[in-house]
């Protein structure tokens, strides 16, 4: 990560639970490697591209491009960016997990895609690209492709989260824990809020 830059992963973490940003940036804890991360290998991600390429008439695939916006002080690397025959650019994230219980993209993953959309627009702004959709591909329990519409409101939410993250890092505000996420959070053992008694 470039010094002073917020990452797309930070944005995703905040969307899952604000406290993770505090744990990683203030406490200096790095995310432990999980079975999910190890199994979600590069080979598995590449294999899942076949049906995506066929559906979207892709003429070029950019793999793990490094994107950085000096204007936003934001950086990140999507799994892929697709360039279609109509010159549309589509960010793609492959997830070794399942979609939400409603069969939609999980909120933090949708926000992460919107972050990549903003980065593509800022990085390629001289080419006047506007990213209007992205793709989430969930590998579990079986392959499920979800097209995410990326509108102005979603991009504005990313910018709001970006400001909030900076305020947390600068000590201007404390994060609000999302207690419903605690049981599945990889950072729960490091969370200063985990052991707080519930209000009576």
């Amino acid at each position: 990560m470039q010094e002073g830059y917020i990452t797309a992963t930070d944005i995703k973490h905040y969307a899952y639970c604000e406290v993770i940003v505090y744990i990683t940036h203030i406490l200096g804890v790095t995310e432990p490697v999980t079975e999910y991360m190890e199994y979600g290998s590069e080979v598995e991600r590449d294999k899942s591209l076949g049906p995506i390429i066929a559906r979207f008439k892709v003429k070029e695939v950019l793999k793990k491009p490094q994107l950085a916006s000096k204007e936003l002080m934001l950086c990140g690397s999507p799994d892929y960016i697709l360039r279609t025959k109509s010159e549309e650019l589509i960010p793609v994230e492959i997830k070794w997990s399942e979609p939400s219980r409603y069969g939609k993209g999980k909120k933090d993953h949708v926000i992460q895609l919107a972050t990549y959309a903003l980065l593509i627009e800022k990085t390629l702004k001289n080419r006047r690209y506007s990213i209007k959709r992205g793709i989430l591909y969930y590998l579990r329990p079986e392959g499920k492709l979800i097209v995410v519409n990326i509108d102005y409101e979603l991009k504005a939410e990313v910018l709001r989260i970006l400001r909030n993250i900076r305020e947390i890092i600068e000590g201007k505000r404390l994060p609000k824990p999302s207690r419903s996420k605690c049981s599945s959070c990889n950072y729960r053992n490091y969370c200063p809020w985990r052991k707080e008694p519930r209000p009576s």
Side-chain angles (χ1 to χ4, degrees):
M1 179 177 70
Q2 300 182 52
E3 187 175 353
Y5 279 64
I6 302 300
T7 70
T9 300
D10 291 326
I11 302 285
K12 180 189 74 169
H13 283 161
Y14 181 100
Y16 185 82
C17 178
E18 297 178 23
V19 174
I20 297 177
V21 173
Y22 181 91
I23 292 171
T24 55
H25 283 270
I26 304 301
L27 302 184
V29 176
T30 56
E31 186 170 13
V33 176
T34 63
E35 181 182 3
Y36 153 83
M37 294 176 180
E38 292 177 339
Y39 203 88
S41 67
E42 189 171 318
V43 173
E44 289 294 325
R45 289 197 299 270
D46 287 350
K47 282 167 55 179
S48 65
L49 269 183
I52 298 174
I53 289 175
R55 175 172 170 178
F56 291 90
K57 299 179 181 179
V58 175
K59 74 172 185 180
E60 182 182 8
V61 177
L62 304 176
K63 183 176 179 180
K64 299 298 288 185
Q66 300 294 321
L67 307 174
S69 167
K70 189 173 182 180
E71 176 187 344
L72 297 178
M73 293 296 286
L74 177 67
C75 64
S77 180
D79 287 334
Y80 306 96
I81 296 176
L82 309 181
R83 188 190 304 275
T84 69
K85 291 181 180 179
S86 62
E87 293 300 319
E88 180 185 7
L89 296 179
I90 306 175
V92 179
E93 277 293 294
I94 311 295
K95 300 297 182 183
W96 182 253
S97 61
E98 60 286 330
S100 74
R101 68 178 71 180
Y102 306 108
K104 297 181 178 181
K106 293 180 177 177
K107 178 67 173 179
D108 54 326
H109 296 160
V110 170
I111 290 293
Q112 184 182 24
L113 264 188
T115 304
Y116 291 134
L118 273 175
L119 278 170
I120 293 169
E121 290 175 357
K122 295 297 182 181
T123 304
L124 303 174
K125 59 185 178 182
N126 291 331
R127 302 174 74 169
R128 298 183 182 178
Y129 282 114
S130 177
I131 311 304
K132 300 186 182 302
R133 59 180 177 168
I135 296 170
L136 291 171
Y137 193 84
Y138 290 95
L139 295 172
R140 295 176 63 184
E142 56 188 32
K144 182 174 179 61
L145 186 154
I146 297 172
V147 178
V148 177
N149 292 322
I150 303 175
D151 56 17
Y152 172 83
E153 287 75 16
L154 198 54
K155 293 172 185 175
E157 185 172 358
V158 172
L159 295 176
R160 178 186 62 79
I161 290 174
L162 185 59
R163 289 192 297 269
N164 289 348
I165 288 175
R166 293 203 182 282
E167 289 181 358
I168 291 173
I169 293 173
E170 293 167 3
K172 295 178 180 178
R173 69 188 295 265
L174 288 175
K176 298 177 181 177
S178 300
R179 298 191 186 281
S180 63
K181 309 287 182 63
C182 292
S183 62
S184 56
C185 179
N186 293 332
Y187 293 91
R188 60 185 176 273
N189 292 332
Y190 309 99
C191 181
W193 281 266
R194 184 172 70 102
K195 296 181 181 179
E196 282 189 345
R198 293 183 177 178
S200 55

